[in-house]
Amino acid sequence: MNERGNPERRIAFLETCFDTLCENGLENTSLKKLANACGVTNGNLLYYFDSKDGIIIEATAHGMAKVEDDFMARAPKDFADIERFLTEMPYITAKLHGAKYRFMYQVYASPKYREYGKEFFKGVNIRYHNYAELLSDKLGMPVDYIQGMIYIFVRACVHFALFEDEEYLQLQLSAIRTSLKALFTA
């Protein structure tokens, strides 16, 4: 990975490129379209990222990490706040990040970028564990339980954002609520 150029400008390019890629898709986004969106020449953009593939890989990882941060910024503050989180987050995620999830899967499901997806999701596993540790005391639940629930809930939210499948969402939410009841009844 090339780290040339002004770091703030690099991040701005990543964010603009990610938004452009999400809006237009992988096949419909040329290097020229990315450069135009950033207000620079192809050569200037390549100075920062070496190749269009480099832009795609870095922009996807950067953009999805920001989506993840937004998701966790809305995490429950205490046990009583869990229901608010379960009720509102799938719809917020679909509205704010549906196109981003669709693009992420387009990239990471491609044989060309699959290895980068594996690396990204290794990082997700670490971050979800860290989130679970942060939430454990607030929610009064074990870290491993919270981490498992994060996976189930995020999967339900992403599926809803991708397909607007209300039935699947409600079944997953019901499973989470039943699990919470069982945890606190035991």
Side-chain angles (χ1 to χ4, degrees):
M1 176 174 33
N2 164 10
E3 290 289 333
R4 289 188 297 248
N6 178 302
E8 292 84 21
R9 193 166 190 210
R10 179 184 184 79
I11 289 170
F13 287 162
L14 286 173
E15 292 174 1
T16 299
C17 287
F18 186 64
D19 290 344
T20 303
L21 286 158
C22 289
E23 183 180 323
N24 298 290
L26 203 50
E27 295 84 20
N28 297 320
T29 307
S30 65
L31 180 60
K32 181 159 183 54
K33 190 176 275 190
L34 293 172
N36 287 346
C38 292
V40 298
T41 65
N42 290 9
N44 194 286
L45 202 54
L46 291 175
Y47 171 78
Y48 279 84
F49 301 104
D50 290 331
S51 68
K52 182 181 172 191
D53 286 337
I55 295 167
I56 291 166
I57 292 160
E58 288 188 54
T60 302
H62 177 83
M64 292 313 298
K66 285 187 68 170
V67 167
E68 189 179 295
D69 289 345
D70 179 62
F71 194 95
M72 291 312 298
R74 299 170 194 271
K77 308 297 181 226
D78 54 38
F79 186 80
D81 194 32
I82 292 173
E83 187 56 35
R84 180 232 11 119
F85 186 62
L86 293 176
T87 303
E88 74 180 22
M89 204 59 211
Y91 303 98
I92 291 172
T93 297
K95 180 179 178 184
L96 297 179
H97 305 304
K100 296 169 187 171
Y101 283 116
R102 284 187 289 280
F103 179 71
M104 178 197 67
Y105 280 106
Q106 183 183 20
V107 171
Y108 291 152
S110 166
K112 185 175 187 177
Y113 304 112
R114 187 168 182 267
E115 292 305 313
Y116 297 100
K118 285 179 168 182
E119 285 304 310
F120 176 77
F121 283 104
K122 283 181 188 174
V124 167
N125 293 339
I126 292 166
R127 290 188 298 276
Y128 283 10
H129 181 78
N130 293 340
Y131 295 143
E133 286 180 332
L134 290 172
L135 291 171
S136 182
D137 288 338
K138 291 180 185 180
L139 303 181
M141 295 180 219
V143 170
D144 60 340
Y145 177 83
I146 294 171
Q147 187 173 351
M149 289 296 104
I150 290 172
Y151 281 107
I152 293 167
F153 186 58
V154 168
R155 174 73 174 110
C157 289
V158 170
H159 184 88
F160 184 75
L162 292 171
F163 306 111
E164 298 175 4
D165 185 346
E166 188 73 36
E167 182 178 0
Y168 179 90
L169 174 64
Q170 293 308 319
L171 287 169
Q172 295 300 306
L173 292 178
S174 178
I176 292 169
R177 289 178 179 116
T178 300
S179 177
L180 284 167
K181 286 178 190 169
L183 175 70
F184 284 98
T185 305

